C-alpha cells in the first residue's frame, strides 16, 4: 500500500508507539455510487488521508454502477442515445463512458496479447468499410483474428478516400482525403506480431498492398491469398455465397461486428462522427467478444 501523496512504501502497523509506522486506519465511508464501505487511512509523513478507492480505475466517478451494464449494451447493437434513456443517465455521461471504457478495454487487450506471445499459428485478416458522418468520408477497419479460437487479436481504424461515383463529390465538398490504410495495417501487425509463432499461416483476400506488408512483418510466414467471392444476403453482406469459404473465420467476425455495433450496421442512421470514438467502441466489443461470445 502506497500513500498516493508522498509515494512512500507503507507497512500495515497500527501501533503508533513503534518506529517505522507510516500510516494508520482512519475510519471508513459509504460510497454513494455503489453503496460499498471504503476503508480510509492516515499518512504520518504528509498528514493526509487516502483510501483503497484510489487504485480503482473508476475513481471519482459518480455513475460507476452503469459501467458493467454499458460494456454489454455497447456490444449489443444499442445506440448511445437509447442507452441514456434505458439507464436513466445523460447522453454526455454515456459519451464519456465510451471513452473511459474504451481505454480500459485496450489496456486489458494489451495484457491479453502479452500472454499469447508465440502461441498463435494461424490468423486471418481483412478490412471492413464504414463511414464517418457521410458516405463521402469512408473509413477502413482492419481486423486480425486467430482462426483456432476465433479471438480478435487487434483492430485499427483508418481514413480512406471515397471511390466510385462519390469520389468527385467527396473531393469537392471535403477536399483531398488521406489514405491511412497501409499505415494503420502496419500498426495492427506491429501490435500482434509477438503473438505469432515462427512460421504462422496467414490468409487474406487478394488486395494488392497486403503482400508487401506481410513480407515486411512476417518474412517466414506461409501467406495465402484467396479471391474474394460474391456476398450473401445474410451476414450483413460479409458472409459469402459459396459453401466452403476459406476466409469464413474473418468474414464471420466482420459480420458479428456489423450486427453487434450499431454504428456499423448497413443502412443505419447511427453513424460515426469521430474515428477515435469508433475505435473506443470497437475496443469494448473486442473485450466482450473474446471473454463472453467466444468463451
Amino acid at each position: 500500500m502506497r500513500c498516493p501523496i508522498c509515494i512512500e512504501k507503507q507497512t500495515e502497523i497500527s501501533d503508533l508507539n513503534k518506529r517505522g509506522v507510516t500510516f494508520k486506519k482512519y475510519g471508513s465511508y459509504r460510497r454513494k455510487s455503489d453503496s460499498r464501505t471504503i476503508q480510509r487511512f492516515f499518512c504520518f509523513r504528509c498528514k493526509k488521508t487516502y483510501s483503497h478507492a484510489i487504485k480503482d480505475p473508476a475513481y471519482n466517478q459518480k455513475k460507476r454502477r452503469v459501467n458493467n451494464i454499458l460494456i454489454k449494451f455497447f456490444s449489443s447493437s444499442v445506440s448511445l442515445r437509447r442507452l441514456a434513456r434505458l439507464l436513466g443517465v445523460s447522453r454526455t455521461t454515456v459519451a464519456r463512458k465510451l471513452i473511459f471504457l474504451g481505454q480500459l478495454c485496450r489496456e486489458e487487450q494489451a495484457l491479453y496479447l502479452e500472454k499469447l506471445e508465440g502461441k498463435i499459428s494461424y490468423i486471418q485478416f481483412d478490412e471492413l468499410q464504414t463511414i464517418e458522418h457521410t458516405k463521402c468520408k469512408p473509413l477502413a477497419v482492419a481486423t486480425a483474428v486467430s482462426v483456432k479460437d476465433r479471438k480478435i487479436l487487434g483492430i485499427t481504424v483508418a481514413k480512406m478516400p471515397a471511390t466510385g461515383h462519390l469520389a468527385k463529390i467527396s473531393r469537392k465538398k471535403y477536399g483531398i482525403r488521406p489514405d491511412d490504410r497501409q499505415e494503420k495495417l502496419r500498426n495492427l501487425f506491429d501490435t500482434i506480431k509477438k503473438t505469432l509463432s515462427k512460421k504462422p499461416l496467414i490468409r487474406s483476400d487478394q488486395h494488392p498492398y497486403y503482400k508487401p506488408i506481410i513480407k515486411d512483418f512476417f518474412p517466414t510466414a506461409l501467406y495465402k491469398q484467396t479471391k474474394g467471392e460474391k456476398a450473401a444476403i445474410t451476414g450483413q453482406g460479409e458472409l459469402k455465397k459459396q459453401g466452403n469459404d476459406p476466409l469464413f473465420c474473418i468474414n464471420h467476425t466482420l459480420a458479428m461486428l456489423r450486427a453487434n455495433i450499431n454504428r456499423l450496421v448497413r443502412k443505419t442512421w447511427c453513424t460515426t462522427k469521430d474515428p477515435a470514438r469508433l475505435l473506443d467502441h470497437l475496443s469494448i466489443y473486442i473485450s466482450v467478444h473474446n471473454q463472453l461470445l467466444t468463451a
Side-chain angles (χ1 to χ4, degrees):
M1 186 67 161
R2 288 174 177 266
C3 171
I5 300 167
C6 60
I7 315 296
E8 290 287 340
K9 249 187 178 180
Q10 310 300 330
T11 51
E12 197 167 351
I13 304 174
S14 56
D15 188 353
L16 305 181
N17 297 323
K18 292 182 179 180
R19 291 185 178 181
V21 173
T22 54
F23 74 93
K24 68 173 182 178
K25 289 184 178 180
Y26 199 70
S28 60
Y29 68 94
R30 182 176 173 274
R31 190 163 60 191
K32 238 181 198 182
S33 58
D34 58 358
S35 302
R36 285 186 59 189
T37 300
I38 307 298
Q39 179 69 54
R40 292 196 65 83
F41 301 95
F42 176 80
C43 178
F44 289 108
R45 296 177 187 271
C46 60
K47 310 300 181 185
K48 303 288 184 181
T49 63
Y50 60 98
S51 70
H52 282 305
I54 197 75
K55 293 181 178 180
D56 192 338
Y59 180 63
N60 270 344
Q61 289 189 10
K62 294 181 180 178
K63 295 289 192 295
R64 71 179 69 229
R65 62 183 173 81
V66 302
N67 286 346
N68 290 333
I69 302 171
L70 279 173
I71 287 177
K72 294 176 182 178
F73 274 127
F74 278 140
S75 306
S76 302
S77 194
V78 183
S79 67
L80 272 63
R81 189 183 295 263
R82 182 59 56 85
L83 267 176
R85 283 177 178 265
L86 291 173
L87 299 179
V89 298
S90 70
R91 283 177 287 165
T92 303
T93 297
V94 175
R96 289 174 177 170
K97 293 291 187 182
L98 178 68
I99 300 172
F100 166 72
L101 295 173
Q103 179 60 34
L104 201 64
C105 290
R106 278 194 293 273
E107 292 172 2
E108 289 179 359
Q109 180 68 4
L111 295 175
Y112 172 69
L113 291 180
E114 286 181 7
K115 297 177 182 178
L116 294 178
E117 187 170 347
K119 295 181 180 179
I120 306 298
S121 58
Y122 183 14
I123 69 167
Q124 293 180 359
F125 72 93
D126 199 0
E127 289 176 310
L128 171 150
Q129 286 193 16
T130 183
I131 60 172
E132 176 189 353
H133 176 63
T134 169
K135 289 183 179 180
C136 292
K137 298 163 72 176
L139 298 170
V141 179
T143 309
V145 180
S146 170
V147 176
K148 183 179 179 180
D149 50 12
R150 297 195 305 116
K151 304 292 185 183
I152 298 177
L153 301 178
I155 282 182
T156 58
V157 178
K159 293 183 178 181
M160 60 177 287
T163 57
H165 70 282
L166 293 174
K168 188 176 179 181
I169 300 172
S170 176
R171 287 193 297 269
K172 185 177 179 180
K173 290 188 70 173
Y174 304 106
I176 297 175
R177 189 167 168 83
D179 190 350
D180 300 331
R181 288 177 292 177
Q182 293 191 48
E183 179 188 350
K184 293 297 182 179
L185 189 60
R186 289 179 179 273
N187 292 345
L188 172 63
F189 291 148
D190 190 48
T191 303
I192 69 170
K193 64 181 180 181
K194 290 185 179 179
T195 66
L196 300 190
S197 59
K198 292 183 179 180
K199 293 183 179 180
L201 172 60
I202 302 175
R203 278 187 180 273
S204 74
D205 59 23
Q206 293 182 338
H207 204 290
Y209 65 69
Y210 286 171
K211 194 170 185 179
I213 297 177
I214 290 292
K215 282 187 176 180
D216 287 346
F217 280 89
F218 312 108
T220 61
L222 175 60
Y223 179 49
K224 294 184 178 181
Q225 289 185 295
T226 304
K227 184 180 178 181
E229 297 294 334
K230 191 173 182 180
I233 298 174
T234 56
Q236 292 282 335
E238 299 297 338
L239 298 182
K240 307 308 174 186
K241 279 189 174 180
Q242 65 180 27
N244 183 22
D245 183 9
L247 299 176
F248 175 80
C249 186
I250 182 63
N251 289 332
H252 187 270
T253 302
L254 296 182
M256 290 182 71
L257 286 178
R258 288 202 186 274
N260 292 306
I261 299 178
N262 193 270
R263 66 180 78 204
L264 293 183
V265 176
R266 292 185 185 273
K267 297 183 180 180
T268 178
W269 56 17
C270 297
T271 59
T272 295
K273 304 301 188 295
D274 184 353
R277 300 294 75 81
L278 173 58
L279 184 60
D280 289 331
H281 207 152
L282 288 165
S283 299
I284 295 170
Y285 176 79
I286 290 175
S287 177
V288 175
H289 181 93
N290 289 350
Q291 296 178 26
L292 182 63
L293 302 183
T294 59

